[in-house]
Structure formats: C-alpha cells, structure tokens
Amino acid sequence: MLRATLKSLLARKIRLVLSMLAVIVGVSFVTGTLVLTDTLNKTFDTLFANVNKNVSVDVRAVNQIDPASDAGRPPLPATIVATVAGVDGVRAAVGTVTGQAVLIDPTTGKPPKTGAPGIGQNWTGAQPTATERIVEGHAPGPGEIVVDKASARKLHLTVGGKVSVQTKAAPVAYTLAGTFEVPGQDGFGGASVTAFDTATAQRLLLAPNQFSAVHIAAADGLGQQELRTRVAAALPAGIEAITGEQLADESASAIQQAIGGFSIFLLVFAAISVFVGAFIIFNTFTMLVAQRVRELALLRAIGASRRQVQVSLQVEAAVVGTAGATAGLVVGAGLAVLLRAAVGAFGVDLPNGALVFAPRTIVVAYAVGVVITCVAAYIPARKAASVPPVAAMRETFVLPARSLRLRAIAGCVLSALGVLLLVAGTASAGKTGAIAVGVGAAGIFLGVATLSPQLSSPVIRVLGVPFISVFGTTGRLGRENAMRNPRRTASTASALMIGLALVSAFSILGQSIKESVSSTVKNSLGADFYLTTQGFGTGFSGQVVRDLSGQPGIDVATGLRGGAAKVNDHTIALLAGDPAGLLDVLAIKKVAGDINALGDGTILAESTTAKNEHLTVGQKVKVAFADGTEELTLAGTYKKSQVAGSWIVSTAQFARHNHDDLDQFVLIKRAAGADPAAVRAEIDKVVKPFGTVEVRDQSEFVAQQEKQVDQLLGFIYVLLALAVIIALFGIVNTLALSVIERTREIGLLRAIGMSRGQMRAMVVMESTIISVFGAVLGVAVGSVFGWALTKALASQGINTFAYPTSTIIMVIIVGVLLGILAAVFPARRAARMDVLRAISTA
C-alpha cells in the first residue's frame, strides 16, 4: 500500500504541486514571522550584551513606577561616584549620562525618518567599563561630538565637518571629532548614538553634577553578584545596584516586548493564511478522491481494507504536508527578509542581522504543514475508504453526497454563536470587546463557510444572469458548472471570502478611525495650529512654547507632555499641560469642582474614573511618580474626552518629577481676527531653529493622522494579500482539477462544435462567478465584522462609523480580476485538450 501510495503521488506531479502550494504559503508566513522575530531578538541580545559586557554592576535611582524601565528614572548626584568608588572590590566607577539627542541630516535639515530613537550620552570610551572604541578621529572635547559609525555612514557625515544635534534645547552645530563602534556590532539596532564630553552631556541631557547611572568594573576575580551586594550596602535609600548581566537583560527586554507584540500581530495573519489554506487542502483532496474512485475501488477489489485505503490517503497528505513544510521553511527565510523590508517601507528601520533558524521554528513549520494537511484530508480520506469494490466495474459510479441538512444546522449554530459574541463585544470596552468581536467573527466565518453550499446555488443563479445575457450558451454553461457541485464551489469561494472579508473589515475600521480623528480634532481640540515632532518617541524643547507665548496674533500656546504614574497601585497615563491654555484648547467640560484650579499640588480626573477610584472633589490623591509619591488634591472632574485621557496635572507639577523639559505636542490658538497666514509665519519663525518640529494647521494635522492610518492599513493589506494569494491558488487548483475531472465532457463539447475560444470563456466565466460569489460573501461578512469592531473600540476614541463605499466596490472588482487571473492556466489546458483523446478518457 505504501508503494502504491507513493507511485500514485509521483504519477500526478501537477496535482502534487497544486496541493503543496497552500501548504507552502501558509508555512512560509509562520516561518518568516518566527525567523524575523528570533533574528531581531538575537540582534538586540547580542547588542546589549556587547555594550554592557565590561559593566559588572550598574548603580541607578529606583524607578517607583517600573523598576526595569528608564523612562522617568530620576538622575543621581555626581557625589555617588565617589561613594561607590570606595567600595572594596571596585576597580573603576564611571558616571554615565543618557538622554535624547537627535542628529539632523545635513542634506535635508531634518532628522532622518528611521523610526528609531536618537540617543545622547557622555563619552566614556577610555574607561574600563566601556566597550566603545574610536574608529576614525578622536574622542570629543568641548564643542565636539562623536557619532556611531553606522549613523555616520547613513547620513554621509565626515570627520571634521559640522553636524547639528537636537537635544532638549534648540539644535546646535558641533564639530564631528570622530566615529566609534562597539566591536562585533554594526550599529546600535537602527538607533543613532551621539556622544559628548561629560560636562556638555550633563548640561544638555540632565543638569550639571548629575549622572543617569554609575557603571562599575570589578576587581579581578570578583563576581558580579558579590560586588553588587557590597555596593548595595553602601548606597543610600532610593538608589539601587544591579549586576551587569541584569542590566543587559533589562535593556534587551524592553525592546523584545515590543518585538513580541509585533510577532503576535504577524502570527495572527499567519494563522489566517493557514486557516485559508486548510480550505484549499480539503477541497483538493476531496476532488482527488472523487477522481480516483475506480483506482481506489480496484485497491479494495484486490484485497485492500477500508483502513488501508484511508491510511494511504493520510500518508499521501503527510507527504504533501512534509514537502510543503520543507519548501515553506526555505521560502519563509526569504519572506522574513521581505517582511523586514516591508516594515522599513512604512518608516521603521529594523536592524540587520544574520537570519536565525531556531529549532522551535523548524518544529512549528513541520507541525503546521503536516498536521493541518492531515486534518484537512481526514474527511476526504474517510470518503475514500467508503468506496465499494464494485465501483471498479462501473464507469459512472460517483461517491454519494451526504445530505446538507446537518451542515445547515451546524452553520446556523456557528453563525448564531458568532453573532452573540459580536453583540457582546460591541457592548464591552477596549481589549476585551475587541477579543470577543474577533472570536465572534471567526465563528461567523466558519458558520457562513458551513452554510455556503446552501447559499451558492441561489446566489450564483443570480450572479450568472449577466453572463448568460452577454455570452449566451457559453455563459449558461459557465454558470451551471459553478452550480454543479455546491460543496466544491462553496469551499473554494469560502477561502477567498475570508481574505476579502478581512480586507473589507479593516477598510471599514480604517475609514471609521479617520472620520473619528477628524471629528475629534474639530470638536474636542480648539487649536488652529499643531506642533509635532519627527522621530520615534521624541519630543522637543519646552522653550518652543515659551517663545511662542505672547507672540503677535497668538492667543493660546500650550505644550502637552505626559508619562506613566500610579494611583492606588495601578499604572495610569498622566497628561500634563499649562493650565492657562490647556483647558481652552482641549475643550474640557466640568462635571464637579473647579477645573480652572489646576496648578501646583492639584490634579483633575475624568468623572467616571474618579467614581471608580472612590474619589471626590477636594480629596487627597496619592500619585506615585518615578522618583517618589506625592499627595495631590483633586480640584475637579470633567466629562470624558477623547484627547484628555483620565488624569491631568499642570506642566510645572509634572516637571518636578520629570526633568526632560520635552513637549510631545504644542497646540496654538490664534487671537480673534488675526490673519492665519501671518500667525503661521510667526510660528515658523519661532520654530525654525528647532529642526525636529513640524507645524501644521488643522486640516494638515488631520491629513497627517489619516496618512498614518493609511500606512498601517497598507501594511495590513500586504499581510492579508498572502491569504488572498492562497485563495487564488485554491481557485486555480479547483479549476485545474475540475478540468481534469471533466476531460470527457470537455471532449464532447468540443466534438459538437464548441470552439477553443468558447471553451476558454466558459472556464473563465466559471472562475469569475465563483470569485464574485466569494467576494460578495466576504463583503457581507466583512461589513458586519467591521461594524462590530468599530463599536467595540468606541472607548479607544473611534466614535464614528464610516463605510468606505469606493473601497468595498474595489474589493468586488478585485474578486472579478482574481477569477479571471485564476482561470488562465485551467482555461488554456481545457482549450488545448486533444478532442479524440478526451472523448476516449474513462
């Protein structure tokens, strides 16, 4: 039986390849995602291990919000260096300074749009704790900087030239004294690193006589843990010591958490592709069994048992799955490179590194390929086992089709459960609601796919009318072929339905987000101009808003900044702004107390949040910042705002606990009667020295937000395209096998006068009708899913439902084009058949 199975596979190479395509694409997506994330994780592990390999102990202030995060961590007094230097076993203690420093591209006058942060630090390359070494030039002195070699190469910087650097002050031009590297590293994971002399770094990034941390090198023979214990004993309260290994792990962990989220995001789409592929594999094996009835019956007639026939089909599926998984591993490596390039095309540079094939990736690839293929082939294999030996004697025997009644009941149950979850998701808030909507959508997908055989005949009957009107008998034959086997048509169309349904749903969500942003800006923000910054997680100097205040034609100029804090031991997002203009430009509406009393020692809360925290106006609120806890008075509560968040403090209050002096946004309201063009010119004049600041009026700001949504949608569409490609292969596969199945019928049609052109047209119309059926189902299901997802995310600021009619029409058109494209090979094969040989086929 094994020999017969393998010979059967090798005798039908085209069918074997067609069966493998869905497996290859699905496995390659999973493999590519795992390879990319493992590569990035290894890159950053190696980077931080190399950067910190000479650090035995790191001394730093305790972060009360997140012990492992440097965000908001208070600085250390310079005197702490001498304190730890005197500890027994310390070979060297070096104060380090770290902050934001963005290089300005000399060509454009703007920071490079890499998506990676700009890091500033003091140069410690000559110290025992450092691993950096000068590649070209010399260490920086006053008025000089050194830049990592990769950034210098990317920006075409030359040693001895002038380079502007944006810190928390206006950009200043420095002489590039040299370039540096960490041995074994080509760059810093996409980030740019600029190093100053220590005094300059303290002045620009912290304050004089302050350090971000102290790096310690141990004496020979002393372990990191032992030295950490000794150093910790000498430290005052509020300052901690960790080992160099822990420092490297924490540094890598923050980035790896983001990579992990990105990996889950990609794996969701990989799962969609595998799910779609399962439909195709099921369809393929169902057709293969139907075409091999006589062969299977002959096996039964010469003594093969039902179990042997079923196992032979499962072995065939396992071979296909194994071969597909092997090819998918190879293709996945290339896909990992393409995914990295695709992310870069959307403005985020990911670091380069040798591709990492972890054993887990190989195991998962074969598990996905073999298990999915075998599961999808299980029902067709059971059907194969049911072929009676007598079928070998009858040319007209076909496998009996089961009643669709049970399938209809199952489809209705699945759809009903999906709808219930969708309703529950729309009634829930945030992540929980979105998950419920996602599970509900999966239920509806399965339900509609299960019901689709019942839906196919009436829907296709209607869809085929235009083809009959235009193409007559040829069109009628194309429609009848599409209706001939409802299960096959439904399975083929369902694969396409899933991909196009998700495209439709995300189109609706994207359009709703854009409409919501426009509505929020117009109704919740009373600003005429918006100042934002380029780059990843960067801000710009608070001096910008101070310089704008009082300028002619400007009524209000207020900066917005914020960060994490804790109330009642749970982390919150805190918004900070100037009380004089914040409440005006944010259009906040009072519920209780006096929201105008915002200032030092006070805090405002959104009314529902205050109620949930059991807080009343005038009550003291314990707010934990990174550097400690402070009691603030709840001055007032306000109605829910899409932009203000749940907690607001004044800029001065926030600045006492965060010394960066960096705004994320500046909102500007012009004075009544002031000329917008003149005000814009005044703003441009003020911000011109600050190279990272971009000025936009309200329409430009809305357009920028919409562009970001479009970029994200574009990336999602690229990922969904793989699922659609699998569905396309499925249509090609179904039609190709259908042509083989109908060889004799095609010969008879040609014999009674059908031309090759008519034969091609018939196959194309069959394919197009199936594709349009899948697209119609996809648009219908996707519209419901998109509506539910929009409602579930209402608490995240998506307060408007918008239906992108033009995009949905394009989805239908894509369905038509896919049908035509998928039919090219099968139609060509059908038209080129030898008539006599086709007629004589058994």
Side-chain angles (χ1 to χ4, degrees), residues 25 166 211 286 291 474 526 596 603 633 674 725 836:
V25 177
Q166 167 83 65
F211 288 109
T286 298
Q291 291 172 16
T474 305
N596 292 306
I603 190 171
T633 302
I725 289 171
L836 294 178

Side-chain angles (χ1 to χ4, degrees), residues 401-412:
R402 292 184 180 181
S403 170
L404 293 174
R405 184 178 301 170
L406 288 177
R407 183 163 180 159
I409 294 172
C412 290

